[in-house]
Amino acid sequence: AGPASLSRLRGALVAAVLGDCVGGEFEGAEEVPLDSVLKHLDSLDEEAKGSGILEYSDDTAMARCVVQSLLTRAGFDEQDMARRFAKEYSASPGRGYGSGVIQVLKKLSSPQLRDVYQPARDQFNGRGSFGNGGAMRASPFALAFPDLSDVKRFARLGAMLTHSCSLGYNGAILQAMAVHLSLHGALELPQQFISRLISEMEEVEDDELTRMDARILKEADKPFCERLHRVRDLMGRNKVSIEEVISELGNGIAALHSVPTAIFCVLHCLQPRDCLPVSYGGLERTLAYCLALGGDTDTIACMAGAIAGAHYGIEGVPQAWIRCCEGAEDAVMSAERLYMLYHRV
Ligand code: 8NA
Ligand code: MG
Ligand code: MG
């Protein structure tokens, strides 16, 4: 499919939902045997024939708010987006939100609130959250704006509504950029893809706030760049164990310990892997691999799903999986409206 085709946009939006829904099963698990992952994914083919549905969590709930806001306002409107986050949370508080972000979402629903960015700034003694909650909902920015500078700017602002620590919103920028590049076919050349992300993040992280936050958290000067270099090193090796991926990149709820991981999963699964069924296409491999990492599986699979979905397109997404994930059919349709916004038709 051509750059930014409807198929790619659909693939990105739908596979993010699938990642969230199928990943929920293992969220927080310390060790996930590959057998359990394959059994879980196998069961989707049967569930599609009638029985249960896998529910989406905070990742998709908030991404849906981002999509609806961008579509309704035909662009970024922080007031509208903040209102939608607050409304969604109060309608369905049980979607598995992070324990900190709940405070922000409650404050955002106050009609007296003047600055919608203030509640996020007040988090964690004024340091802001470095969780992956900004990154998990950043993909739609890449599906609404064709210019990379807009993608970066709005992904940052969109994340800052809940995540004001640079390690939080920079993760959102990285995730949105990865989807943007994938949408344009950049995963055809994986080495160039990772190099491009590194050079873009060099620029993003070349800033005083980033250096200060990194110092406080005892991270490298440019933490995301450092992680992306690790991704590149791991890519160059033909044998990589799950344990190494977890110790080098992480599988946790911090954006720094999950966005580079999601990117690695996509890159690693571009080719068939011995541990995964030969019947699997690239998208199935990617999601299965994310689940096998354990930790924040729903969010890592959601982010990897968006990047991989933009590469493989909707044709790479198993129909049976779509049928048993809540919100996946909706995403197929929302993607068409995003496509019109993206191409301004
Ligand atoms: P968040 O902003 O509440 O951050 C998540 C957690 O990260 C916080 O609760 C803190 O423990 C920690 N944290 C973040 N920033 C700081 C800081 N500056 N200092 C100290 N600790 C900090 O929530 P979020 O929106 O970023 O969500 C992240 C993840 O939480 C997502 O994966 C989401 O799915 C969710 N989650 C839910 C469950 C669940 O119970 N269903 C389990 C794990 C994660
Ligand atoms: Mg979640
Ligand atoms: Mg999660």
Side-chain angles (χ1 to χ4, degrees), residues 27 58-59 96 98-101 124 128-133 163 253 296 299:
E27 189 180 19
D58 54 337
D59 309 61
S99 51
V101 76
F124 301 100
S129 172
F130 53 63
N132 56 21
H163 290 67
I253 53 161
D296 197 358
T299 303

Side-chain angles (χ1 to χ4, degrees), residues 20 24 27-28 57-59 62 94-105 123-137 162-163 165 168 217 252-255 258 295-300 303:
D20 179 14
E27 189 180 19
S57 77
D58 54 337
D59 309 61
M62 296 194 89
R95 294 271 188 195
Y97 289 87
S99 51
V101 76
I102 291 172
Q103 310 309 316
V104 179
L105 296 171
Q123 290 293 93
F124 301 100
N125 300 314
R127 284 192 194 155
S129 172
F130 53 63
N132 56 21
M136 74 188 182
R137 59 171 195 261
T162 51
H163 290 67
C165 177
L217 293 163
I253 53 161
S258 50
D296 197 358
T297 46
D298 66 330
T299 303
I300 293 172
M303 297 189 294

